[in-house]
Amino acid sequence: MQKLTNKEEEIMHILWKLKKAFVKEVMAEIPEEQPHYNTLSTIVRNLEEKGFVSHNAFGNTHQYFPIVNIEDYRKRFMNTAIDNYFNSSYKNMVSHFAKEEKISAAELREILTMIENQEEKK
């Protein structure tokens, strides 16, 4: 699975949300600074070349749909980020967010409960 640019990732999130869409429907979902139609069309075709989307043809127009699901992409993205930024350590990642005050003690307790419940199921 190739790495996506920020703009490609933004478009993928739109396609995951819509499930299938024509370029003009994707364009309508971009909140601000919409790219030119041809630019967006090129981005979507690049996503197809990278194996993230496919299309159904309706005459000269194409309706695109994701062929990589968000869970698979999330798993790859998170693993890469943890490897690259946190020395492959989930502990380092969680402590980073705790230091930045992005996660509370209550949320950490909730996560700990989830982990303990998973261990009990094994």
Side-chain angles (χ1 to χ4, degrees):
M1 190 181 303
Q2 293 185 33
K3 182 167 175 37
L4 298 180
T5 66
N6 289 341
K7 189 53 90 172
E8 288 171 337
E9 198 169 288
E10 178 186 351
I11 302 310
M12 279 306 300
H13 280 283
I14 293 169
L15 287 169
W16 283 319
K17 175 185 165 190
L18 297 177
K19 306 214 184 326
K20 58 184 177 181
F22 296 97
V23 172
K24 65 180 179 176
E25 294 170 322
V26 173
M27 179 81 76
E29 293 291 318
I30 297 174
E32 50 198 50
E33 294 187 39
Q34 292 184 336
H36 188 276
Y37 180 92
N38 291 340
T39 302
L40 180 57
S41 183
T42 298
I43 292 169
V44 174
R45 284 195 312 276
N46 288 343
L47 286 168
E48 187 168 28
E49 288 175 18
K50 289 182 175 184
F52 281 83
V53 302
S54 189
H55 73 271
N56 292 316
F58 296 92
N60 290 333
T61 62
H62 295 117
Q63 184 180 49
Y64 295 92
F65 55 91
I67 56 176
V68 171
N69 69 46
I70 193 169
E71 292 80 18
D72 290 341
Y73 185 75
R74 180 184 300 133
K75 185 183 295 184
R76 180 193 171 279
F77 174 81
M78 289 304 298
N79 288 338
T80 301
I82 291 165
D83 290 346
N84 291 341
Y85 298 103
F86 300 104
N87 271 351
S88 301
S89 168
Y90 289 88
K91 177 183 170 190
N92 288 347
M93 181 193 71
V94 172
S95 66
H96 165 78
F97 289 115
K99 288 175 191 170
E100 293 290 318
E101 298 180 2
K102 303 288 184 191
I103 191 167
S104 69
E107 290 169 320
L108 287 171
R109 281 191 285 278
E110 188 177 324
I111 292 168
L112 184 58
T113 300
M114 289 168 46
I115 292 168
E116 289 168 344
N117 288 340
Q118 287 295 325
E119 289 175 359
E120 290 174 6
K121 291 179 182 179
K122 292 181 181 178

PDB file of all heavy atoms in Angstrom, residues 48-71:
ATOM      1  N   GLU A  48      -6.639   5.804  -8.128  1.00  0.00           N
ATOM      2  CA  GLU A  48      -6.948   4.561  -8.831  1.00  0.00           C
ATOM      3  C   GLU A  48      -5.656   3.850  -9.235  1.00  0.00           C
ATOM      4  O   GLU A  48      -5.531   2.638  -9.050  1.00  0.00           O
ATOM      5  CB  GLU A  48      -7.817   4.857 -10.054  1.00  0.00           C
ATOM      6  CG  GLU A  48      -8.327   3.611 -10.740  1.00  0.00           C
ATOM      7  CD  GLU A  48      -9.407   3.906 -11.762  1.00  0.00           C
ATOM      8  OE1 GLU A  48      -9.430   5.015 -12.330  1.00  0.00           O
ATOM      9  OE2 GLU A  48     -10.219   2.997 -11.997  1.00  0.00           O
ATOM     10  N   GLU A  49      -4.691   4.597  -9.735  1.00  0.00           N
ATOM     11  CA  GLU A  49      -3.402   4.003 -10.111  1.00  0.00           C
ATOM     12  C   GLU A  49      -2.683   3.399  -8.913  1.00  0.00           C
ATOM     13  O   GLU A  49      -1.995   2.391  -9.042  1.00  0.00           O
ATOM     14  CB  GLU A  49      -2.507   5.050 -10.782  1.00  0.00           C
ATOM     15  CG  GLU A  49      -2.943   5.425 -12.180  1.00  0.00           C
ATOM     16  CD  GLU A  49      -2.104   6.546 -12.774  1.00  0.00           C
ATOM     17  OE1 GLU A  49      -0.991   6.811 -12.275  1.00  0.00           O
ATOM     18  OE2 GLU A  49      -2.588   7.160 -13.750  1.00  0.00           O
ATOM     19  N   LYS A  50      -2.849   4.007  -7.746  1.00  0.00           N
ATOM     20  CA  LYS A  50      -2.216   3.502  -6.526  1.00  0.00           C
ATOM     21  C   LYS A  50      -2.983   2.321  -5.936  1.00  0.00           C
ATOM     22  O   LYS A  50      -2.544   1.730  -4.953  1.00  0.00           O
ATOM     23  CB  LYS A  50      -2.103   4.617  -5.481  1.00  0.00           C
ATOM     24  CG  LYS A  50      -1.069   5.674  -5.831  1.00  0.00           C
ATOM     25  CD  LYS A  50      -0.969   6.721  -4.739  1.00  0.00           C
ATOM     26  CE  LYS A  50       0.144   7.716  -5.033  1.00  0.00           C
ATOM     27  NZ  LYS A  50       0.317   8.693  -3.929  1.00  0.00           N
ATOM     28  N   GLY A  51      -4.138   1.999  -6.499  1.00  0.00           N
ATOM     29  CA  GLY A  51      -4.901   0.848  -6.033  1.00  0.00           C
ATOM     30  C   GLY A  51      -5.844   1.126  -4.878  1.00  0.00           C
ATOM     31  O   GLY A  51      -6.277   0.201  -4.192  1.00  0.00           O
ATOM     32  N   PHE A  52      -6.198   2.383  -4.664  1.00  0.00           N
ATOM     33  CA  PHE A  52      -7.103   2.733  -3.569  1.00  0.00           C
ATOM     34  C   PHE A  52      -8.557   2.816  -4.010  1.00  0.00           C
ATOM     35  O   PHE A  52      -9.457   2.633  -3.202  1.00  0.00           O
ATOM     36  CB  PHE A  52      -6.682   4.077  -2.941  1.00  0.00           C
ATOM     37  CG  PHE A  52      -5.528   3.953  -2.001  1.00  0.00           C
ATOM     38  CD1 PHE A  52      -4.226   3.944  -2.481  1.00  0.00           C
ATOM     39  CD2 PHE A  52      -5.723   3.824  -0.643  1.00  0.00           C
ATOM     40  CE1 PHE A  52      -3.146   3.817  -1.625  1.00  0.00           C
ATOM     41  CE2 PHE A  52      -4.660   3.694   0.231  1.00  0.00           C
ATOM     42  CZ  PHE A  52      -3.359   3.687  -0.270  1.00  0.00           C
ATOM     43  N   VAL A  53      -8.792   3.162  -5.260  1.00  0.00           N
ATOM     44  CA  VAL A  53     -10.154   3.269  -5.774  1.00  0.00           C
ATOM     45  C   VAL A  53     -10.261   2.571  -7.124  1.00  0.00           C
ATOM     46  O   VAL A  53      -9.258   2.294  -7.786  1.00  0.00           O
ATOM     47  CB  VAL A  53     -10.630   4.745  -5.914  1.00  0.00           C
ATOM     48  CG1 VAL A  53     -10.562   5.486  -4.600  1.00  0.00           C
ATOM     49  CG2 VAL A  53      -9.852   5.482  -6.981  1.00  0.00           C
ATOM     50  N   SER A  54     -11.488   2.296  -7.495  1.00  0.00           N
ATOM     51  CA  SER A  54     -11.799   1.785  -8.825  1.00  0.00           C
ATOM     52  C   SER A  54     -12.993   2.587  -9.325  1.00  0.00           C
ATOM     53  O   SER A  54     -13.464   3.495  -8.627  1.00  0.00           O
ATOM     54  CB  SER A  54     -12.113   0.291  -8.773  1.00  0.00           C
ATOM     55  OG  SER A  54     -12.211  -0.227 -10.085  1.00  0.00           O
ATOM     56  N   HIS A  55     -13.496   2.242 -10.504  1.00  0.00           N
ATOM     57  CA  HIS A  55     -14.624   3.017 -11.026  1.00  0.00           C
ATOM     58  C   HIS A  55     -15.554   2.158 -11.864  1.00  0.00           C
ATOM     59  O   HIS A  55     -15.182   1.094 -12.354  1.00  0.00           O
ATOM     60  CB  HIS A  55     -14.123   4.195 -11.868  1.00  0.00           C
ATOM     61  CG  HIS A  55     -13.568   3.780 -13.201  1.00  0.00           C
ATOM     62  ND1 HIS A  55     -12.249   3.453 -13.378  1.00  0.00           N
ATOM     63  CD2 HIS A  55     -14.156   3.622 -14.422  1.00  0.00           C
ATOM     64  CE1 HIS A  55     -12.039   3.124 -14.644  1.00  0.00           C
ATOM     65  NE2 HIS A  55     -13.182   3.220 -15.302  1.00  0.00           N
ATOM     66  N   ASN A  56     -16.767   2.656 -11.984  1.00  0.00           N
ATOM     67  CA  ASN A  56     -17.744   2.162 -12.940  1.00  0.00           C
ATOM     68  C   ASN A  56     -17.907   3.256 -13.983  1.00  0.00           C
ATOM     69  O   ASN A  56     -18.053   4.428 -13.637  1.00  0.00           O
ATOM     70  CB  ASN A  56     -19.103   1.884 -12.271  1.00  0.00           C
ATOM     71  CG  ASN A  56     -19.033   0.715 -11.312  1.00  0.00           C
ATOM     72  OD1 ASN A  56     -18.446  -0.317 -11.621  1.00  0.00           O
ATOM     73  ND2 ASN A  56     -19.629   0.881 -10.135  1.00  0.00           N
ATOM     74  N   ALA A  57     -17.861   2.860 -15.253  1.00  0.00           N
ATOM     75  CA  ALA A  57     -17.990   3.839 -16.331  1.00  0.00           C
ATOM     76  C   ALA A  57     -19.451   3.991 -16.740  1.00  0.00           C
ATOM     77  O   ALA A  57     -20.181   3.006 -16.864  1.00  0.00           O
ATOM     78  CB  ALA A  57     -17.153   3.417 -17.533  1.00  0.00           C
ATOM     79  N   PHE A  58     -19.861   5.228 -16.910  1.00  0.00           N
ATOM     80  CA  PHE A  58     -21.186   5.568 -17.419  1.00  0.00           C
ATOM     81  C   PHE A  58     -20.962   6.502 -18.595  1.00  0.00           C
ATOM     82  O   PHE A  58     -20.907   7.722 -18.424  1.00  0.00           O
ATOM     83  CB  PHE A  58     -22.042   6.239 -16.346  1.00  0.00           C
ATOM     84  CG  PHE A  58     -22.342   5.354 -15.174  1.00  0.00           C
ATOM     85  CD1 PHE A  58     -21.525   5.358 -14.050  1.00  0.00           C
ATOM     86  CD2 PHE A  58     -23.434   4.497 -15.193  1.00  0.00           C
ATOM     87  CE1 PHE A  58     -21.796   4.538 -12.971  1.00  0.00           C
ATOM     88  CE2 PHE A  58     -23.703   3.671 -14.119  1.00  0.00           C
ATOM     89  CZ  PHE A  58     -22.887   3.693 -13.009  1.00  0.00           C
ATOM     90  N   GLY A  59     -20.769   5.929 -19.760  1.00  0.00           N
ATOM     91  CA  GLY A  59     -20.409   6.737 -20.923  1.00  0.00           C
ATOM     92  C   GLY A  59     -19.023   7.318 -20.716  1.00  0.00           C
ATOM     93  O   GLY A  59     -18.068   6.594 -20.463  1.00  0.00           O
ATOM     94  N   ASN A  60     -18.929   8.646 -20.787  1.00  0.00           N
ATOM     95  CA  ASN A  60     -17.639   9.317 -20.597  1.00  0.00           C
ATOM     96  C   ASN A  60     -17.355   9.679 -19.147  1.00  0.00           C
ATOM     97  O   ASN A  60     -16.306  10.247 -18.857  1.00  0.00           O
ATOM     98  CB  ASN A  60     -17.575  10.590 -21.450  1.00  0.00           C
ATOM     99  CG  ASN A  60     -17.496  10.280 -22.932  1.00  0.00           C
ATOM    100  OD1 ASN A  60     -17.001   9.214 -23.311  1.00  0.00           O
ATOM    101  ND2 ASN A  60     -17.996  11.180 -23.753  1.00  0.00           N
ATOM    102  N   THR A  61     -18.281   9.413 -18.244  1.00  0.00           N
ATOM    103  CA  THR A  61     -18.070   9.756 -16.837  1.00  0.00           C
ATOM    104  C   THR A  61     -17.796   8.491 -16.035  1.00  0.00           C
ATOM    105  O   THR A  61     -18.177   7.384 -16.423  1.00  0.00           O
ATOM    106  CB  THR A  61     -19.295  10.491 -16.243  1.00  0.00           C
ATOM    107  OG1 THR A  61     -20.425   9.625 -16.307  1.00  0.00           O
ATOM    108  CG2 THR A  61     -19.585  11.773 -16.990  1.00  0.00           C
ATOM    109  N   HIS A  62     -17.118   8.697 -14.927  1.00  0.00           N
ATOM    110  CA  HIS A  62     -16.777   7.583 -14.050  1.00  0.00           C
ATOM    111  C   HIS A  62     -17.306   7.836 -12.645  1.00  0.00           C
ATOM    112  O   HIS A  62     -17.191   8.950 -12.131  1.00  0.00           O
ATOM    113  CB  HIS A  62     -15.257   7.388 -13.984  1.00  0.00           C
ATOM    114  CG  HIS A  62     -14.662   6.975 -15.283  1.00  0.00           C
ATOM    115  ND1 HIS A  62     -13.757   7.758 -15.960  1.00  0.00           N
ATOM    116  CD2 HIS A  62     -14.844   5.873 -16.043  1.00  0.00           C
ATOM    117  CE1 HIS A  62     -13.397   7.147 -17.067  1.00  0.00           C
ATOM    118  NE2 HIS A  62     -14.046   6.002 -17.147  1.00  0.00           N
ATOM    119  N   GLN A  63     -17.839   6.787 -12.063  1.00  0.00           N
ATOM    120  CA  GLN A  63     -18.250   6.839 -10.660  1.00  0.00           C
ATOM    121  C   GLN A  63     -17.208   6.025  -9.890  1.00  0.00           C
ATOM    122  O   GLN A  63     -17.008   4.845 -10.168  1.00  0.00           O
ATOM    123  CB  GLN A  63     -19.639   6.243 -10.471  1.00  0.00           C
ATOM    124  CG  GLN A  63     -20.152   6.367  -9.057  1.00  0.00           C
ATOM    125  CD  GLN A  63     -21.542   5.758  -8.926  1.00  0.00           C
ATOM    126  OE1 GLN A  63     -21.765   4.639  -9.376  1.00  0.00           O
ATOM    127  NE2 GLN A  63     -22.445   6.503  -8.314  1.00  0.00           N
ATOM    128  N   TYR A  64     -16.544   6.684  -8.958  1.00  0.00           N
ATOM    129  CA  TYR A  64     -15.439   6.070  -8.227  1.00  0.00           C
ATOM    130  C   TYR A  64     -15.914   5.512  -6.890  1.00  0.00           C
ATOM    131  O   TYR A  64     -16.848   6.022  -6.282  1.00  0.00           O
ATOM    132  CB  TYR A  64     -14.329   7.101  -8.002  1.00  0.00           C
ATOM    133  CG  TYR A  64     -13.695   7.542  -9.305  1.00  0.00           C
ATOM    134  CD1 TYR A  64     -14.164   8.660  -9.991  1.00  0.00           C
ATOM    135  CD2 TYR A  64     -12.641   6.826  -9.860  1.00  0.00           C
ATOM    136  CE1 TYR A  64     -13.596   9.051 -11.192  1.00  0.00           C
ATOM    137  CE2 TYR A  64     -12.073   7.212 -11.059  1.00  0.00           C
ATOM    138  CZ  TYR A  64     -12.547   8.315 -11.718  1.00  0.00           C
ATOM    139  OH  TYR A  64     -11.986   8.699 -12.912  1.00  0.00           O
ATOM    140  N   PHE A  65     -15.229   4.461  -6.445  1.00  0.00           N
ATOM    141  CA  PHE A  65     -15.526   3.866  -5.149  1.00  0.00           C
ATOM    142  C   PHE A  65     -14.231   3.318  -4.544  1.00  0.00           C
ATOM    143  O   PHE A  65     -13.333   2.889  -5.271  1.00  0.00           O
ATOM    144  CB  PHE A  65     -16.585   2.762  -5.271  1.00  0.00           C
ATOM    145  CG  PHE A  65     -16.232   1.678  -6.263  1.00  0.00           C
ATOM    146  CD1 PHE A  65     -15.539   0.544  -5.857  1.00  0.00           C
ATOM    147  CD2 PHE A  65     -16.583   1.798  -7.603  1.00  0.00           C
ATOM    148  CE1 PHE A  65     -15.207  -0.452  -6.760  1.00  0.00           C
ATOM    149  CE2 PHE A  65     -16.256   0.804  -8.519  1.00  0.00           C
ATOM    150  CZ  PHE A  65     -15.562  -0.321  -8.097  1.00  0.00           C
ATOM    151  N   PRO A  66     -14.121   3.351  -3.214  1.00  0.00           N
ATOM    152  CA  PRO A  66     -12.894   2.866  -2.570  1.00  0.00           C
ATOM    153  C   PRO A  66     -12.803   1.344  -2.656  1.00  0.00           C
ATOM    154  O   PRO A  66     -13.812   0.646  -2.543  1.00  0.00           O
ATOM    155  CB  PRO A  66     -13.036   3.316  -1.119  1.00  0.00           C
ATOM    156  CG  PRO A  66     -14.427   3.755  -0.937  1.00  0.00           C
ATOM    157  CD  PRO A  66     -15.064   3.916  -2.270  1.00  0.00           C
ATOM    158  N   ILE A  67     -11.587   0.856  -2.861  1.00  0.00           N
ATOM    159  CA  ILE A  67     -11.357  -0.592  -2.799  1.00  0.00           C
ATOM    160  C   ILE A  67     -10.432  -0.947  -1.637  1.00  0.00           C
ATOM    161  O   ILE A  67     -10.211  -2.113  -1.353  1.00  0.00           O
ATOM    162  CB  ILE A  67     -10.836  -1.169  -4.136  1.00  0.00           C
ATOM    163  CG1 ILE A  67      -9.582  -0.473  -4.607  1.00  0.00           C
ATOM    164  CG2 ILE A  67     -11.919  -1.108  -5.196  1.00  0.00           C
ATOM    165  CD1 ILE A  67      -8.973  -1.077  -5.882  1.00  0.00           C
ATOM    166  N   VAL A  68      -9.907   0.071  -0.965  1.00  0.00           N
ATOM    167  CA  VAL A  68      -9.170  -0.106   0.283  1.00  0.00           C
ATOM    168  C   VAL A  68     -10.079   0.438   1.375  1.00  0.00           C
ATOM    169  O   VAL A  68     -10.552   1.569   1.280  1.00  0.00           O
ATOM    170  CB  VAL A  68      -7.824   0.657   0.264  1.00  0.00           C
ATOM    171  CG1 VAL A  68      -7.182   0.655   1.642  1.00  0.00           C
ATOM    172  CG2 VAL A  68      -6.891   0.071  -0.784  1.00  0.00           C
ATOM    173  N   ASN A  69     -10.360  -0.384   2.390  1.00  0.00           N
ATOM    174  CA  ASN A  69     -11.259   0.130   3.424  1.00  0.00           C
ATOM    175  C   ASN A  69     -10.487   0.963   4.451  1.00  0.00           C
ATOM    176  O   ASN A  69      -9.276   0.848   4.592  1.00  0.00           O
ATOM    177  CB  ASN A  69     -12.091  -0.996   4.066  1.00  0.00           C
ATOM    178  CG  ASN A  69     -11.276  -1.939   4.906  1.00  0.00           C
ATOM    179  OD1 ASN A  69     -10.454  -1.526   5.712  1.00  0.00           O
ATOM    180  ND2 ASN A  69     -11.516  -3.232   4.730  1.00  0.00           N
ATOM    181  N   ILE A  70     -11.227   1.787   5.141  1.00  0.00           N
ATOM    182  CA  ILE A  70     -10.613   2.750   6.060  1.00  0.00           C
ATOM    183  C   ILE A  70      -9.876   2.051   7.201  1.00  0.00           C
ATOM    184  O   ILE A  70      -8.847   2.523   7.663  1.00  0.00           O
ATOM    185  CB  ILE A  70     -11.653   3.772   6.579  1.00  0.00           C
ATOM    186  CG1 ILE A  70     -10.945   4.939   7.269  1.00  0.00           C
ATOM    187  CG2 ILE A  70     -12.684   3.093   7.464  1.00  0.00           C
ATOM    188  CD1 ILE A  70     -11.837   6.110   7.571  1.00  0.00           C
ATOM    189  N   GLU A  71     -10.374   0.905   7.649  1.00  0.00           N
ATOM    190  CA  GLU A  71      -9.722   0.197   8.751  1.00  0.00           C
ATOM    191  C   GLU A  71      -8.333  -0.281   8.348  1.00  0.00           C
ATOM    192  O   GLU A  71      -7.379  -0.165   9.128  1.00  0.00           O
ATOM    193  CB  GLU A  71     -10.572  -0.986   9.235  1.00  0.00           C
ATOM    194  CG  GLU A  71     -11.862  -0.591   9.926  1.00  0.00           C
ATOM    195  CD  GLU A  71     -12.984  -0.220   8.958  1.00  0.00           C
ATOM    196  OE1 GLU A  71     -12.898  -0.575   7.748  1.00  0.00           O
ATOM    197  OE2 GLU A  71     -13.936   0.448   9.380  1.00  0.00           O
TER     198      GLU A  71
END
